[in-house]
Amino acid sequence: MTTAILYVVSTPIGNLEDLSPRAVDTLKKVDLIAAEDTRHSGRLMQHFSISTPMLAVHDHNERQRAQALVQKLAAGQSIALISDAGTPLISDPGYHLVSAVRDAGYRVVPIVGPCALIAGLSVSGLSTDRFSFYGFLPAKSSGRRQHLALLAKVTHTQVFYESPHRIVAMVDDIVSVIGPDRQLVLARELTKTFETVYGAPASKVQAWLSADHNQQKGEFVVLIEGAEPEQLQDIGPEEERMLTLLLAELPIKKAAAITAAITGHKKKALYDRALELQGK
Ligand code: SAM
């Protein structure tokens, strides 16, 4: 094993068989495993007979531990970073450590594997050309609604994590803020026994969820289809007449701006039409 490297190792999000042979090999060979919760990860280590020493690195001590870990790399040790599940840093600790290690000039190597966000997206049936990931929205409904309101017109797929305590409230907020007809997908308990992926218009998902208590349990990835792009309104004969009259008296820019202010059409579209009218 090459020394002075920080390995960022993805671990299973449910099914232990998803720990890759390369991940097992890395976790066995490094000098130290920096784990979000050493007791939680202890079970994984036991299952794979990994006896490498572990050190707790979590949200509350990460900044402080980062410098000590950089010192270990400086001494030629290699370290693996893991979180409780999935890919470290993705709604999990690790950002401060990785940036400190990179700033100090040491290599950071990904040992790729499970990530609930990508797993959920890949089976959602929603467009994946472009998507945004927002992690967990605020726990309080008012904050969550404010965030959702900002996203209502986003035209690409939006992905969130949500806990079982808030899944019903989150879906309620999506229905009222984003709208009952928008396609919504809940990807629950991925890779586990009760894995369920349910997609439908938001109001149908809401009814389905409230009808079955069992579906409210476990871990969730929530995916919202992007909004339809806003259709550009056609510039009709009335708007064109107004534009022509104003063009006889004013420069193009002004004529387009006044027509836009009166009709609500986009200034740019009216400007382009004015150029056409003038044969430019
Ligand atoms: N780092 C992890 C990853 O790569 O997916 C995510 C950690 S975050 C603290 C935990 C959240 O991820 C859960 O609350 C849930 O929203 C989502 N999650 C984790 N495992 C999941 C699973 N098996 N099925 C669905 N969602 C899961």
Side-chain angles (χ1 to χ4, degrees):
M1 169 128 307
T2 324
T3 57
I5 292 181
L6 173 68
Y7 295 91
V8 178
V9 182
S10 298
T11 59
I13 56 169
N15 191 328
L16 293 186
E17 298 303 310
D18 291 335
L19 190 71
S20 75
R22 188 172 172 226
V24 174
D25 191 50
T26 304
L27 293 171
K28 280 187 174 166
K29 287 184 180 160
V30 289
D31 297 295
L32 180 71
I33 297 171
E36 183 180 4
D37 178 341
T38 52
R39 253 182 51 190
H40 176 95
S41 295
R43 292 190 281 277
L44 186 72
M45 300 306 140
Q46 214 172 0
H47 185 86
F48 286 94
S49 308
I50 297 166
S51 53
T52 309
M54 284 198 278
L55 177 75
V57 175
H58 44 67
D59 281 336
H60 306 293
N61 69 2
E62 190 189 336
R63 283 166 191 260
Q64 165 209 334
R65 286 266 153 97
Q67 285 317 315
L69 291 172
V70 168
Q71 291 310 312
K72 287 186 186 294
L73 294 174
Q77 295 198 359
S78 54
I79 301 168
L81 171 68
I82 59 172
S83 61
D84 286 354
T87 302
L89 281 84
I90 308 301
S91 292
D92 265 341
Y95 162 71
H96 297 291
L97 176 60
V98 169
S99 63
V101 169
R102 289 185 59 84
D103 285 350
Y106 295 101
R107 270 182 76 195
V108 181
V109 172
I111 306 294
V112 301
C115 179
L117 140 72
I118 298 299
L121 186 65
S122 69
V123 295
S124 69
L126 299 181
S127 167
T128 56
D129 293 351
R130 281 207 300 146
F131 64 90
S132 294
F133 173 60
Y134 300 93
F136 293 92
L137 286 188
K140 283 195 180 154
S141 184
S142 55
R144 195 164 50 231
R145 281 164 172 261
Q146 270 176 21
H147 266 74
L148 288 169
L150 293 173
L151 303 179
K153 289 188 175 174
V154 170
T155 53
H156 55 259
T157 301
Q158 296 136 66
V159 190
F160 309 85
Y161 284 162
E162 193 50 280
S163 81
H165 318 292
R166 286 190 283 272
I167 190 65
V168 170
M170 163 104 169
V171 170
D172 287 351
D173 286 343
I174 290 171
V175 170
S176 59
V177 178
I178 304 283
D181 300 327
R182 188 79 71 82
Q183 192 73 11
L184 174 65
V185 180
L186 301 185
R188 172 182 164 261
E189 292 288 88
L190 295 169
T191 78
K192 302 187 205 177
T193 312
F194 296 108
E195 179 180 276
T196 314
V197 180
Y198 184 74
S203 58
K204 205 172 162 197
V205 174
Q206 185 183 37
W208 172 82
L209 195 62
S210 61
D212 186 349
H213 229 79
N214 285 324
Q215 296 296 350
Q216 301 171 15
K217 295 179 188 160
E219 301 194 276
F220 292 87
V221 182
V222 177
L223 304 103
I224 303 176
E225 183 178 43
E228 287 288 330
E230 279 182 353
Q231 295 298 319
L232 287 176
Q233 299 159 280
D234 279 342
I235 297 169
E238 273 309 300
E239 290 85 0
E240 209 164 280
R241 206 171 88 84
M242 189 183 300
L243 197 56
T244 310
L245 288 172
L246 288 169
L247 277 172
E249 308 292 330
L250 297 167
I252 293 188
K253 215 168 158 189
K254 225 166 191 162
I258 293 173
T259 312
I262 296 171
T263 63
H265 280 282
K266 290 247 183 319
K267 217 185 311 184
K268 170 81 172 69
L270 289 161
Y271 185 87
D272 291 346
R273 180 60 60 86
L275 286 177
E276 281 170 23
L277 288 170
Q278 292 197 329
K280 288 186 179 165

